[in-house]
Amino acid sequence: MRIVFFGSPAFAVPAAEAVARDHEVVLAVAQPDRPAGRGQKVQAPAVKVWAEANGVPVAQPQRLRGPEGDAFLERVQVLAPDVFIVAAYGKILPQALLDVPHLGPFNVHASLLPKYRGAAPIQWAVIRGDEETGVTIMRMEAGLDTGPMVAVCKAPIGPSDTAGALFERLAVLGAQLMADTLPAIATGKATFTPQDEAQATLAPPLTKDDGHLDFSQPAERVSARARGVDPWPSAYALLDGAPIKLFGARVLATQADAAAPGQVVSADREGLVVACGPGLLAFSEVQMPGRKRLPVEAVVAGRGLMPGMKLV
């Protein structure tokens, strides 16, 4: 089949690779290059890098509506694609664009729809303490991740899983599921299951404030929050008014003895142990203001952390 592939971050690359093995990707559409990282150097999205390395033409429209959107629509129509494949593209496709492929537009969504519709399904599944997530292939329509489902594959969420670790696993899982589903789409044998609107939940984009930990909550919930915002925006707490970032959260079986939530119980090679309400949480790495991310024992050696300190 002739495919126009829409995707931007690294999550989408395995899906692009999978569909390109047996089909012709006639165009890869990605978000525009943007500044990223501490130096704010302009970087190309991962899908653009993949496309250029594989001789696939690339488009990076700033807008999909208005004059620029009209010109892009004409370009895609000329290509006469059979299907669109969309994976973490980052823009909502207007109906005129969705109507172009004669077999339809299909999305690789990293949740068990209708749960977690929106931009950050993996992160919110971890933050909310779910024990299971997965990938859904759906036929796209004008609504936000509301289209009928074609295929679903489940995956467990482990007690130490971060959003970043799940991104990598679900990217591979979604790529394989998309590749396995395309033959049924091509032959008209795919079945479409409507989503249950009563079960729908949203997964809005994360903000930096979502990384602020509340140690008055139970340790399990604080751990879920810390792991769900790893790698971005990263978990943090305030120490003497300055933010420190916290990584590698794990819930401890022991309980704090009369320690207030947020109090540092110990800081050594075993990690930074902080009291929660209730429970204890250990972090293996920290990043002090203006410093590099380091194992806790290295920061302790530099006299940056000690028992009795309060994180808020």
Side-chain angles (χ1 to χ4, degrees), residues 269-280:
R269 66 180 59 187
E270 300 301 320
L272 177 70
V273 179
V274 184
C276 300
L280 289 175

Side-chain angles (χ1 to χ4, degrees), residues 67-113:
E68 184 181 8
D70 292 340
F72 175 69
L73 175 63
E74 291 180 8
R75 178 180 179 181
V76 174
Q77 287 173 328
V78 169
L79 294 173
D82 297 301
V83 295
F84 286 173
I85 302 298
V86 182
Y89 171 52
K91 292 180 182 289
I92 296 176
L93 275 59
Q95 189 63 53
L97 199 55
L98 294 174
D99 291 338
V100 171
H102 74 94
L103 291 176
F106 294 88
N107 177 246
V108 183
H109 187 76
S111 81
L112 301 176
L113 290 172

Side-chain angles (χ1 to χ4, degrees), residues 23-55:
H23 306 279
E24 182 185 5
V25 179
V26 295
L27 182 67
V29 187
Q31 292 267 26
D33 298 359
R34 291 197 173 97
R38 181 170 294 182
Q40 289 296 286
K41 183 180 179 180
V42 175
Q43 296 183 16
V47 166
K48 177 184 179 181
V49 174
W50 169 84
E52 291 181 338
N54 288 275

Side-chain angles (χ1 to χ4, degrees), residues 11 108 110-111 122 133-135 155 165-175:
F11 175 86
V108 183
S111 81
I122 297 173
T133 184
V135 178
L166 273 183
F167 262 99
E168 294 181 6
R169 296 212 305 270
L170 294 183
V172 175
L173 189 68

Side-chain angles (χ1 to χ4, degrees), residues 266-293:
S266 62
D268 50 36
R269 66 180 59 187
E270 300 301 320
L272 177 70
V273 179
V274 184
C276 300
L280 289 175
L281 197 59
F283 298 94
S284 61
E285 296 180 300
V286 299
Q287 185 173 355
M288 304 298 285
R291 303 292 182 89
K292 295 180 179 180
R293 174 175 169 175

